[in-house]
Amino acid sequence: IGAMCALAVFGAIHGNSQVLQRFVNGRDSHGRLCGVDGPVKDFRDVFFTLPVRSDPVMEASGELRPGIKNELKAVCTKKCPQSTSATAERQNSTAREGDLCPPDDTSAGLCAWYGGNTTELGFYCVDLVLFTESSEAGHWLQDLKVASWRLAVLPLIAVVLGFLYLVFVQRLGATCIWLSLVVSAVVPIFLGWVFFHEAGIKESGGQTMNQIFDRIDVKDLRYVAYGLWILSGLIGLLACCCCGTIKGIIAVLKITTEFLMDVPSQFVQPLFVGLAQLVFLAGWTLLFVQVASIGIIEGDQQTCIQAGDIYCLKWDTTSQRWGLLFLVFMLYWVENFLHALSHYGTSYAVGAWYFASVDIVTGRRKIAEGGSSSFSHMRGCSEIPSWERCQFAKLRWFRRSCCDCT
């Protein structure tokens, strides 16, 4: 953690996070940052085009005209251009509406379009056919953009599903185990009866319920029925042989149910831990960006366009790579550490709950003041004697649980 703080200071001194804005906003051919600098503040997007009446970008053979990128100019605009027809790329560039571009570019004939389709990546309007080097990353970023609102609600969906699962375990866990066993045994019996019944109908010359049965021989239909009934018997026999194991699973679910009823903090503890993980991830992202900006500079605009690099950023040093590698390791370590703290708090809460006295009136365990919170119990494990008692209690609880299950 201390090394991360030192790295943050180093990134703040030697980094240039403002240059990273190029990943969002592009510069036009005059060096102005679209949507930011005064003359082009109202023109947020940037697109790469050819002047009015330029030759078509596509040859009659369907191939791109050689050297086309050398003629491209970056122009700020209010709206990304799109193709007007299937043959637009085989025609000369035409002028766009005058209010879509800055006045100086419009008068210079740069507010034009050659007819291709563009994809909006951040505030870049990119023709992924022309900029083949950026097509894969462009499609990936576009997919993220389209799915952004779905990704935003995923944490909420995860929380809701998590609560539903805990409520399900609390109320219907044991019932579902027995129900699944009954269904596993009854369904093969029913299907076997269907096959055997259809075999009898087919043998007597009647009409079966489905054409599938018409394609199967009567003998094979009966064999399938016998096989299904044997499978059902094996499932029933296996359930009888493993009755002790099944009872053990149900006992564990019963204990889990009682624990969740007496210690409701376990319903909300994952929320606090998840919130802490998200807060750390947000701070880590800012630090990652700051460190990544160490040694970053902008290249020549026209040279970058010829190379297919729309962002035109490069690094004049490799020292930031080690810092980024360290940050990735710390992200993995801290997120897992917080996750382990959640498990540790839950395990101690289980031990404190299991060995608490039982109220003879309500039948529920009487937990000391503040004992319903696993965070409060974690303080007891910080001292060596309490920690030893905590581990011993967990071991006894596990052993007793196994004995109760058998």
Side-chain angles (χ1 to χ4, degrees):
I1 301 299
M4 288 183 64
C5 295
L7 194 59
V9 175
F10 184 81
I13 296 175
H14 299 281
N16 185 10
S17 58
Q18 293 182 349
V19 176
L20 295 179
Q21 191 174 12
R22 283 295 307 274
F23 284 112
V24 180
N25 299 92
R27 291 191 186 275
D28 65 3
S29 298
H30 306 289
R32 300 172 297 192
L33 201 59
C34 298
V36 177
D37 294 339
V40 292
K41 192 172 184 179
D42 297 330
F43 304 92
R44 184 187 63 180
D45 299 318
V46 61
F47 71 109
F48 306 91
T49 188
L50 300 172
V52 176
R53 292 185 296 276
S54 294
D55 294 336
V57 297
M58 203 73 73
E59 295 181 338
S61 61
E63 299 293 332
L64 288 174
R65 178 160 55 85
I68 185 64
K69 293 180 182 178
N70 299 335
E71 305 175 23
L72 291 176
K73 301 294 182 181
V75 181
C76 299
T77 184
K78 294 181 179 179
K79 183 175 67 174
C80 290
Q82 298 297 332
S83 178
T84 56
S85 67
T87 60
E89 290 179 295
R90 291 180 172 85
Q91 301 173 7
N92 293 344
S93 302
T94 57
R96 303 180 69 200
E97 295 89 337
D99 59 344
L100 293 179
C101 307
D104 56 346
D105 286 334
T106 301
S107 59
L110 295 179
C111 190
W113 188 234
Y114 54 79
N117 281 311
T118 61
T119 300
E120 190 171 358
L121 308 177
F123 296 143
Y124 287 83
C125 307
V126 182
D127 184 352
L128 297 180
V129 175
L130 193 59
F131 289 91
T132 54
E133 294 86 350
S134 306
S135 59
E136 184 176 349
H139 285 299
W140 180 72
L141 291 173
Q142 184 66 11
D143 292 340
L144 284 180
K145 179 182 177 182
V146 173
S148 59
W149 69 270
R150 297 179 181 87
L151 295 176
V153 300
L154 278 181
L156 178 61
I157 295 175
V159 169
V160 173
L161 290 179
F163 273 103
L164 290 178
Y165 173 74
L166 290 177
V167 172
F168 172 81
V169 170
Q170 182 185 27
R171 300 181 182 276
L172 300 173
T175 303
C176 283
I177 291 178
W178 287 115
L179 183 61
S180 62
L181 289 174
V182 172
V183 170
S184 299
V186 170
V187 169
I189 294 177
F190 173 74
L191 292 177
W193 174 84
V194 171
F195 276 88
F196 194 85
H197 178 70
E198 292 300 314
I201 294 177
K202 185 175 181 180
E203 188 177 32
S204 62
Q207 180 66 35
T208 59
M209 68 171 62
N210 195 288
Q211 294 180 354
I212 296 177
F213 297 106
D214 294 334
R215 302 171 185 172
I216 305 176
D217 187 70
V218 174
K219 184 189 296 186
D220 293 335
L221 287 174
R222 288 200 173 101
Y223 284 155
V224 172
Y226 297 149
L228 289 171
W229 289 336
I230 293 174
L231 176 62
S232 178
L234 290 175
I235 292 175
L237 180 62
L238 185 63
C240 293
C241 294
C242 300
C243 184
T245 303
I246 297 172
K247 288 182 179 179
I249 295 173
I250 295 175
V252 171
L253 284 176
K254 182 180 178 181
I255 292 174
T256 303
T257 299
E258 295 175 356
F259 171 68
L260 292 175
M261 292 178 63
D262 293 338
V263 191
S265 67
Q266 291 306 301
F267 283 97
V268 297
Q269 175 181 303
L271 293 180
F272 288 104
V273 176
L275 180 62
Q277 289 177 324
L278 289 176
V279 170
F280 175 79
L281 180 60
W284 178 90
T285 302
L286 295 176
L287 178 57
F288 186 89
V289 170
Q290 190 66 43
V291 175
S293 67
I294 297 175
I296 192 172
I297 58 175
E298 292 190 55
D300 179 69
Q301 176 87 330
Q302 198 60 36
T303 303
C304 292
I305 294 177
Q306 294 174 13
D309 181 8
I310 62 174
Y311 301 112
C312 202
L313 296 176
K314 60 180 181 180
W315 282 262
D316 59 0
T317 179
T318 59
S319 59
Q320 82 285 349
R321 297 180 182 177
W322 299 105
L324 296 179
L325 184 63
F326 172 75
L327 289 178
V328 171
F329 170 77
M330 287 302 300
L331 175 66
Y332 174 81
W333 187 89
V334 173
E335 295 290 346
N336 283 278
F337 176 75
L338 293 174
H339 190 67
L341 281 182
S342 177
H343 283 287
Y344 187 75
T346 300
S347 65
Y348 193 82
V350 169
W353 166 83
Y354 189 80
F355 295 104
S357 59
V358 179
D359 192 327
I360 59 176
V361 178
T362 62
R364 301 180 64 177
R365 301 180 190 272
K366 296 185 294 184
I367 304 176
E369 184 69 24
S372 60
S373 173
S374 58
F375 292 108
S376 63
H377 287 297
M378 291 174 64
R379 293 195 300 270
C381 285
S382 60
E383 301 177 358
I384 295 300
S386 299
W387 184 86
E388 292 175 345
R389 290 196 300 271
C390 168
Q391 306 306 316
F392 182 70
K394 295 175 190 174
L395 182 61
R396 289 180 56 195
W397 170 80
F398 179 75
R399 186 181 64 184
R400 290 184 57 184
S401 298
C402 295
C403 293
D404 293 341
C405 291
T406 54

